[in-house]
Amino acid sequence: MLTITNLTYRYPDGTPALRGIDLAIAAGEKVALLGVNGAGKSTLLLHLNGTLRPASGAIVVDGLPVTPQNLRQIRARVGLVFQDPDDQLFSPTVFDDVAFGPLYMGLAPAEAAQRVQQALQAVGMMGYERRAPHRLSLGQRKRVALATVLAMQPSLLALDEPSAGLDPRARRALSELLRALPQTMLVSTHDLALVADVFPRAIVLAEGRVVADEATASLLAHHSRLLQYGLI
Amino acid sequence: MLTITNLTYRYPDGTPALRGIDLAIAAGEKVALLGVNGAGKSTLLLHLNGTLRPASGAIVVDGLPVTPQNLRQIRARVGLVFQDPDDQLFSPTVFDDVAFGPLYMGLAPAEAAQRVQQALQAVGMMGYERRAPHRLSLGQRKRVALATVLAMQPSLLALDEPSAGLDPRARRALSELLRALPQTMLVSTHDLALVADVFPRAIVLAEGRVVADEATASLLAHHSRLLQYGLI
Amino acid sequence: MWWQWIAERITLGLHIPDGFLHAPVALLWWLPTVIAVGVATRAVRQSLDDRAVPLMGVMAAFIFAAQMLNFPIAGGTSGHVLGGAFAAIVLGPWAGMIVMTCVIALQAILFQDGGIVAMGANIFNMGIATAAIGGWIARPLLTRNGSFTTNRLWIATVTAGAGWLSVMAAAALTSAQLVLSDLPAAIVFPAMLGVHAVIGIGEGLITAAAVLFLVTTRPDLLQANAPAGTSSARVAVIGLIIAAVTAAFAPLASPDPDGLERIAEDVGFIERATDAPYHMLPDYTIPWLGETPLSTILAGLIGVAVMIGLIWVIAALLRSRPPARS
Amino acid sequence: MADESLADRALAPASGIAVYDGRVTTWLALGYIFTLAWLPAGAWDALIMAALILWFVIGCGRIGLRLIWRRSLVAWPFALAALTLAIARPGEPIAQFTIGGQAFTVTDAGIVATATVMIKSWLSVQAVMALIATTHFSELLTALAALRLPPLLVMILGMAYRYLFILQDEALRMLRARDSRSAALPNRRAGRNLRWRATITGRMVGTLFVRAYERSERIYAAMLARGYDGQPLTTPPPSLRRIDYVLLIGGSAACIGLIIVAYT
Ligand SMILES: Nc1ncnc2c1ncn2[C@@H]1O[C@H](COP(=O)(O)OP(=O)(O)OP(=O)(O)O)[C@@H](O)[C@H]1O
Ligand SMILES: Nc1ncnc2c1ncn2[C@@H]1O[C@H](COP(=O)(O)OP(=O)(O)OP(=O)(O)O)[C@@H](O)[C@H]1O
Ligand SMILES: [Mg+2]
Ligand SMILES: [Mg+2]
């Protein structure tokens, strides 16, 4: 489903953010991406749909290499959700925002509208179509942000800290939603409770390298390792 | 030092945020302000230096009532630090930012520079004077934000969630700093570990009312009450 | 406070409400506005490519918010920035025009700040003219061989001058429109330019400080949008023009620091500014119908039709063809 | 923002007029304002009819005439300035008074002109308010697109509207932070000087600019992630229904009627 080989990346100002990432995720797997602030989680996720272009290394999604020529197909397959929903939601209404991706793909308006319905239903935000994003609470905005990519029916979901800023109830709802969704997932988070709940496998980044890639249960069982990786 | 009598406030859109707050804090006391999201903590702190004007009720700081005529003197006595340091820091360098308050008060540049040194020393940010605030890490920015009010030598510190967004190490440093500072403090926070560490007294708000005002130890000892107030 | 809110609007005095301009004058000013915005739309699309929408949209919201950032002058009056010159200095003249057009349109629609019929004139005065000054006068002076200068004193002088000049230009244009609506030029020009010579100082200081802030903290942003270098001859000519204009207005610029007095002066201006006769096309009649009401109505309708037709044609010419979507 | 909540009404129109197509309401509001602009001074019958038409529509739309009236007063500082027209126009003298040694004469033509300007200005503002109270902002954009505004500009306007409130909140918080450090000591002059205060404000403008710019970069990435390639997204709006045409034709007829009444 997703294969990354020897991926390196430097920001234009010279910061080396990724230094040789190798990983493979099978279809239907749900994988958590952990690591302290600045470990490179967001940078890695931004590579999955070609928003950032690797200095070296290769990424293959669903058999299709992520290259400039393939970008449009890649973006239909990889649904990327940013941490701050205000960056993700840029339209005057919820409907417009969720419909943006499907319409851009060239779906007919009626079909797009149907996708919007399905996506909003999945995140429990039916009936909010005419609302303006800036009038929604943070938790609601985060759900709509997720709907914007679900409406594109991607096969891989890449979520950047989906639970940040949510209160305990909203976190539980998110956790249930992620468990219910059938897609393959790579989700960056600092929230170990969410990891334990949803993700059978966890990858830990540190300074742009993969330092652990294993079953969540075995990782969480070792307090000393969690401390060492700065996860608690 | 600080006396608040029957303070009520409604936001312009009609939201009643404070509904009759009474409290008194003696000089040198360090008091934590607790409560769930939306309880009214930030609203209360914004009243202390007259940023918001009460619908009814009175606030007296150091014998001086907070009224529009006294605002400027009040602001020399009350140092208010906002939750988000990005709201607090608006200058090209750390020095300029910390020097703003002293210069505005009419201190001579040399005197202001000395105040800046002292304040940066107190928060452990000596040597960062020429740096641009937006190039600092979140923890560093939070410390500089605190320095901007320390440089004004206020007698009352009002801090809004000073530990939010800090990683475990930065939290411990903040906790030590707050214990070392001599000022009277009213600090809003969701961080019970910080409360237990620094503040002998805690006030709990709920829906704009004071629902508890007591020794921190006795509050923390009752799990059921913490649950009831939504603090855990 | 409500009175401060009112004072601010009166002090700026540039958002012309509906009803204050002769209808033909208001419509006439739509013409250059539509042309400029059309050209700017194309230019922005070419230079910024697919970044145009998020960048311009957020920048328009930014100007809106920046206009809230005020500073106390005196006596309860406060100054704030108009922003057109700053936007054009930093983003370029075309992008500046787009941004200001959106700001003024949203102000008129959402906050009823400035009229709808008068919007063509308002956009031209506060958007097109100010961006032209920032983008075509200040920017060439600030770039050498395609990169932004580092001489802080020079930057401060040029940007402050451009900020001041942009406010003066907007004020002069507003006056011209009022005079075209039959107001006495002898009163309107001195009053309007006098008040704004003072207000412009705030604009100049803020613009300079904001640009210097960027030079210090994010020079890369300025560099990214820097235009290609200009010949030194052109720089010299533009410099001379600025010097001449500044000299011409210098007597007006002797600041009178009392804010209340300025408001009074400003109110006085507006009182006079409204001294406009509101006849519809007084001399416009259709010959073969004579001076009958019907003739006047027809003349007016024809005028409107011609104007709308012209705008339509030009807009159509300027609009790039809709993209083919596969 | 004095009437932010009215601007917000554009987000949740809940009125009878909202059942009509946003394009129709937008065009009619624009047409009405343009018509007002053409009415001559002293055309009382036309002005009264115009007012009644507008208030009837507002009443039908259950927008709340009271709300509109209260809010429309914000436009009056300008309209009040029209009072001076009363003394500025040549005509039959009605009253005279002196201020500061200068004599002023109120004329009949002056009073007529004043009243006309005030009414026109006031009605125009109410029409815009009625529009934004009944028409969702996205429909307003659709209407503008149908008026041949370049699609790129329409998208930019939508984006500007979306981030308006976010950046205004940001500016407001910065102002609060500055104000709460603007302190005074007894016996000292606070605030240094005008130039310093303006400079501080300029830096705040710069700070806000950098944050807005960085946000625009993040939004750009988010748009790319959903397939955006720089072409404005244009979807054909639904075609107008018969009721919309009826309203459009009826409204246009009313506007033309006003002009005819005014000039005959
Ligand atoms: N735009 C940028 N320019 C330069 N360096 C950057 C940029 N964005 C991130 N970095 C740097 O790249 C490294 C990885 O950053 P990244 O945002 O991927 O971390 P992260 O794991 O997502 O952290 P967090 O948990 O804080 O979100 C960090 O050292 C960071 O400072
Ligand atoms: N600008 C505003 N306009 C209207 N209502 C507001 C505004 N700011 C806050 N409120 C409301 O006032 C109440 C108190 O808010 P306040 O910000 O004081 O809560 P808080 O205790 O600081 O919460 P948090 O822990 O989330 O910071 C809430 O109901 C909130 O929704
Ligand atoms: Mg990240
Ligand atoms: Mg708060």
Side-chain angles (χ1 to χ4, degrees):
Chain A
M1 177 71 210
L2 171 70
T3 320
I4 298 178
T5 353
N6 193 27
L7 179 66
T8 65
Y9 183 78
R10 251 172 206 289
Y11 277 98
D13 66 355
T15 317
L18 300 178
R19 328 182 190 215
I21 301 273
D22 286 292
L23 60 87
I25 296 180
E29 257 194 305
K30 296 186 181 179
V31 182
L33 190 59
L34 308 176
V36 295
N37 293 147
K41 303 182 294 298
S42 300
T43 310
L44 176 59
L45 292 179
L46 287 174
H47 276 85
L48 296 189
N49 74 346
T51 303
L52 295 180
R53 223 162 295 162
S56 72
I59 305 164
V60 180
V61 177
D62 238 357
L64 197 71
V66 179
T67 59
Q69 304 87 283
N70 294 337
L71 275 193
R72 301 208 112 204
Q73 285 104 296
I74 288 292
R75 283 172 182 163
R77 292 178 196 199
V78 180
L80 181 62
V81 182
F82 294 80
Q83 174 174 351
D84 185 349
D86 284 330
D87 295 333
Q88 183 96 11
L89 306 175
F90 45 74
S91 308
T93 68
V94 168
F95 181 91
D96 290 341
D97 233 322
V98 182
F100 183 92
L103 287 176
Y104 230 101
M105 288 170 152
L107 297 193
E111 203 180 344
Q114 200 194 329
R115 291 270 191 106
V116 173
Q117 292 311 315
Q118 286 168 359
L120 288 179
Q121 184 132 43
V123 300
M125 289 291 292
M126 288 286 286
Y128 286 82
E129 290 86 349
R130 309 302 313 157
R131 296 280 289 274
H134 81 264
R135 290 279 114 171
L136 301 176
S137 82
L138 178 68
Q140 293 173 325
R141 289 204 302 277
K142 292 217 72 126
R143 293 200 227 175
V144 174
L146 186 53
T148 62
V149 307
L150 289 183
M152 297 172 73
Q153 305 192 339
S155 43
L156 172 66
L157 281 177
L159 315 182
D160 202 353
E161 312 204 6
S163 70
L166 295 186
D167 65 29
R169 185 145 18 105
R171 270 165 203 251
R172 284 192 287 274
L174 175 77
S175 168
E176 267 155 43
L177 173 62
L178 293 184
R179 255 182 311 186
L181 287 174
Q183 271 96 346
T184 313
M185 283 179 200
L186 183 58
V187 177
S188 99
T189 181
H190 291 286
D191 180 352
L192 291 185
L194 181 75
V195 177
D197 249 25
V198 181
F199 303 97
R201 175 179 162 198
I203 294 176
V204 183
L205 293 190
E207 299 185 352
R209 288 197 187 83
V210 174
V211 293
D213 180 353
E214 62 190 270
T216 301
S218 91
L219 179 70
L220 292 186
H222 292 87
H223 192 80
S224 63
R225 288 178 59 208
L226 293 176
L227 258 181
Q228 175 200 336
Y229 299 144
L231 301 180
I232 50 172
Chain B
M1 177 69 209
L2 170 70
T3 320
I4 298 178
T5 352
N6 193 28
L7 178 67
T8 65
Y9 182 78
R10 250 171 206 288
Y11 276 98
D13 67 356
T15 317
L18 301 178
R19 327 181 190 215
I21 301 273
D22 286 292
L23 60 86
I25 296 180
E29 258 194 304
K30 297 187 181 180
V31 182
L33 190 61
L34 308 176
V36 296
N37 291 148
K41 304 183 294 299
S42 300
T43 309
L44 176 59
L45 293 179
L46 287 173
H47 276 85
L48 297 189
N49 75 347
T51 302
L52 294 179
R53 220 162 299 159
S56 72
I59 305 165
V60 179
V61 177
D62 239 355
L64 196 70
V66 179
T67 59
Q69 303 87 281
N70 295 338
L71 274 194
R72 289 278 162 87
Q73 282 105 296
I74 287 292
R75 284 170 182 166
R77 295 178 193 200
V78 180
L80 181 62
V81 182
F82 295 80
Q83 174 175 348
D84 186 350
D86 287 332
D87 297 331
Q88 187 99 10
L89 307 174
F90 47 76
S91 304
T93 68
V94 168
F95 181 91
D96 288 336
D97 235 323
V98 182
F100 174 89
L103 287 176
Y104 195 96
M105 285 172 161
L107 298 193
E111 203 180 344
Q114 201 195 326
R115 292 271 191 107
V116 174
Q117 292 312 314
Q118 286 168 358
L120 288 179
Q121 184 132 44
V123 300
M125 288 292 291
M126 288 287 285
Y128 285 81
E129 290 85 349
R130 310 305 318 157
R131 295 279 290 275
H134 75 268
R135 287 278 160 77
L136 301 175
S137 83
L138 178 68
Q140 294 172 326
R141 291 205 301 280
K142 292 213 73 129
R143 293 200 227 175
V144 174
L146 186 52
T148 62
V149 307
L150 289 183
M152 299 171 72
Q153 304 190 340
S155 44
L156 173 67
L157 281 178
L159 315 182
D160 202 354
E161 313 204 6
S163 70
L166 295 187
D167 65 30
R169 185 142 22 102
R171 268 166 205 249
R172 285 190 286 274
L174 174 77
S175 168
E176 267 155 42
L177 173 61
L178 293 185
R179 256 182 310 182
L181 287 173
Q183 272 97 345
T184 314
M185 284 180 199
L186 183 59
V187 178
S188 100
T189 182
H190 292 286
D191 180 350
L192 292 184
L194 181 74
V195 177
D197 250 25
V198 181
F199 303 97
R201 174 177 161 199
I203 293 175
V204 182
L205 293 189
E207 299 186 350
R209 290 198 186 83
V210 174
V211 292
D213 180 353
E214 61 190 88
T216 301
S218 92
L219 180 70
L220 293 185
H222 293 89
H223 191 81
S224 64
R225 287 177 59 207
L226 292 177
L227 259 183
Q228 175 200 336
Y229 299 143
L231 301 181
I232 50 172
Chain C
M1 281 301 94
W2 62 272
W3 58 268
Q4 273 175 338
W5 187 85
I6 289 171
E8 260 166 43
R9 262 143 197 81
I10 295 177
T11 315
L12 209 52
L14 291 174
H15 288 85
I16 307 172
D18 275 335
F20 278 62
L21 287 183
H22 264 345
V25 173
L27 287 181
L28 181 77
W29 282 93
W30 273 102
L31 198 65
T33 299
V34 167
I35 295 173
V37 172
V39 174
T41 308
R42 283 195 106 171
V44 155
R45 189 162 196 181
Q46 267 163 18
S47 65
L48 287 171
D49 193 31
D50 50 349
R51 284 173 58 226
V53 168
L55 183 61
M56 301 288 98
V58 176
M59 284 300 131
F62 152 73
I63 294 285
F64 232 105
Q67 291 183 350
M68 289 172 68
L69 297 175
N70 53 10
F71 68 100
I73 297 175
T77 323
S78 54
H80 65 91
V81 79
L82 198 59
F86 174 74
I89 288 171
V90 177
L91 301 169
W94 299 121
M97 284 177 196
I98 297 287
V99 164
M100 292 308 288
T101 299
C102 292
V103 169
I104 293 157
L106 288 179
Q107 279 170 339
I109 295 169
L110 295 180
F111 303 105
Q112 296 84 49
D113 218 355
I116 300 288
V117 180
M119 200 197 292
N122 283 331
I123 291 177
F124 193 87
N125 305 347
M126 287 179 288
I128 312 291
T130 55
I133 287 170
W136 283 319
I137 296 183
R139 257 162 80 92
L141 292 172
L142 292 172
T143 45
R144 298 263 156 75
N145 311 320
S147 65
F148 220 79
T149 49
T150 48
N151 181 337
R152 295 178 67 89
L153 185 63
W154 176 244
I155 294 173
T157 313
V158 170
T159 52
W164 183 80
L165 206 59
S166 72
V167 171
M168 291 304 279
L173 282 162
T174 306
S175 311
Q177 286 144 6
L178 294 172
V179 168
L180 281 177
S181 301
D182 289 351
L183 266 89
I187 298 172
V188 172
F189 274 104
M192 195 69 168
L193 293 181
V195 171
H196 284 89
V198 180
I199 291 175
I201 293 172
E203 179 89 13
L205 289 174
I206 294 180
T207 305
V211 173
L212 282 174
F213 175 88
L214 291 182
V215 169
T216 312
T217 59
R218 290 293 303 266
D220 54 310
L221 290 188
L222 293 170
Q223 217 56 63
N225 296 303
T230 40
S231 73
S232 51
R234 198 170 142 209
V235 169
V237 169
I238 295 171
L240 273 177
I241 294 175
I242 291 193
V245 174
T246 311
F249 286 120
L252 292 171
S254 55
D256 151 24
D258 186 346
L260 286 175
E261 199 169 310
R262 187 166 333 116
I263 289 188
E265 210 178 327
D266 226 355
V267 172
F269 148 70
I270 288 179
E271 286 162 358
R272 271 170 261 136
T274 56
D275 176 17
Y278 289 89
H279 293 304
M280 178 185 139
L281 291 174
D283 298 318
Y284 287 58
T285 49
I286 294 176
W288 60 89
L289 284 174
E291 291 220 20
T292 61
L294 182 61
S295 161
T296 318
I297 292 171
L298 278 181
L301 288 179
I302 291 170
V304 175
V306 168
M307 200 60 67
I308 290 174
L310 264 176
I311 292 175
W312 204 289
V313 166
I314 289 166
L317 286 178
L318 291 172
R319 207 173 37 250
S320 39
R321 266 173 294 131
R325 189 162 296 288
S326 51
Chain D
M1 288 288 110
D3 44 325
E4 186 179 327
S5 58
L6 194 70
D8 263 11
R9 289 283 293 268
L11 306 171
S15 81
I17 299 182
V19 303
Y20 296 108
D21 192 284
R23 283 166 291 175
V24 174
T25 49
T26 306
W27 294 340
L28 286 179
L30 295 184
Y32 178 82
I33 294 169
F34 271 77
T35 304
L36 279 182
W38 286 102
L39 299 183
W44 304 126
D45 36 7
L47 283 172
I48 289 170
M49 282 169 63
L52 290 179
I53 291 173
L54 179 64
W55 294 338
F56 175 74
V57 170
I58 291 174
C60 284
R62 289 189 294 275
I63 306 162
L65 200 49
R66 285 249 185 84
L67 176 80
I68 297 265
W69 278 349
R70 206 173 61 233
R71 307 259 186 198
S72 66
L73 293 183
V74 299
W76 274 54
F78 267 104
L80 283 174
L83 276 179
T84 52
L85 274 173
I87 52 171
R89 306 205 66 193
E92 199 67 21
I94 288 181
Q96 260 188 343
F97 57 94
T98 25
I99 298 175
Q102 204 180 341
F104 295 96
T105 313
V106 178
T107 65
D108 60 345
I111 288 176
V112 167
T114 302
T116 308
V117 171
M118 286 170 83
I119 293 171
K120 273 185 178 185
S121 178
W122 189 48
L123 289 179
S124 300
V125 165
Q126 289 180 58
V128 178
M129 289 180 162
L131 173 66
I132 62 167
T134 52
T135 307
H136 201 283
F137 188 77
S138 60
E139 286 185 311
L140 224 135
L141 290 180
T142 312
L144 292 179
L147 283 177
R148 315 303 241 133
L149 205 68
L152 185 74
L153 214 51
V154 175
M155 271 185 92
I156 293 175
L157 272 174
M159 184 81 58
Y161 178 71
R162 164 72 179 94
Y163 288 97
L164 190 62
F165 301 95
I166 289 180
L167 290 185
Q168 278 190 340
D169 277 352
E170 211 154 297
L172 201 64
R173 290 196 302 267
M174 286 169 78
L175 280 176
R176 278 184 172 173
R178 186 193 61 185
D179 288 347
S180 61
R181 276 194 274 154
S182 300
L185 297 175
N187 316 322
R188 267 206 235 230
R189 189 175 131 71
R192 297 193 84 190
N193 53 43
L194 185 77
R195 196 183 136 205
W196 185 72
R197 293 199 300 271
T199 303
I200 295 290
T201 310
R203 288 169 179 176
M204 292 167 74
V205 169
T207 306
L208 193 64
F209 173 82
V210 171
R211 286 197 218 160
Y213 195 96
E214 284 169 356
R215 186 181 285 278
S216 83
E217 284 174 336
R218 295 196 299 272
I219 296 163
Y220 175 55
M223 292 176 81
L224 287 183
R226 278 190 268 159
Y228 183 68
D229 61 2
Q231 301 299 338
L233 189 58
T234 44
T235 39
S239 50
L240 293 179
R241 297 156 301 173
R242 178 176 296 181
I243 180 113
D244 296 322
Y245 281 112
V246 170
L247 193 67
L248 196 54
I249 291 168
S252 311
C255 288
I256 293 169
L258 286 178
I259 296 268
I260 291 175
V261 168
Y263 285 97
T264 48

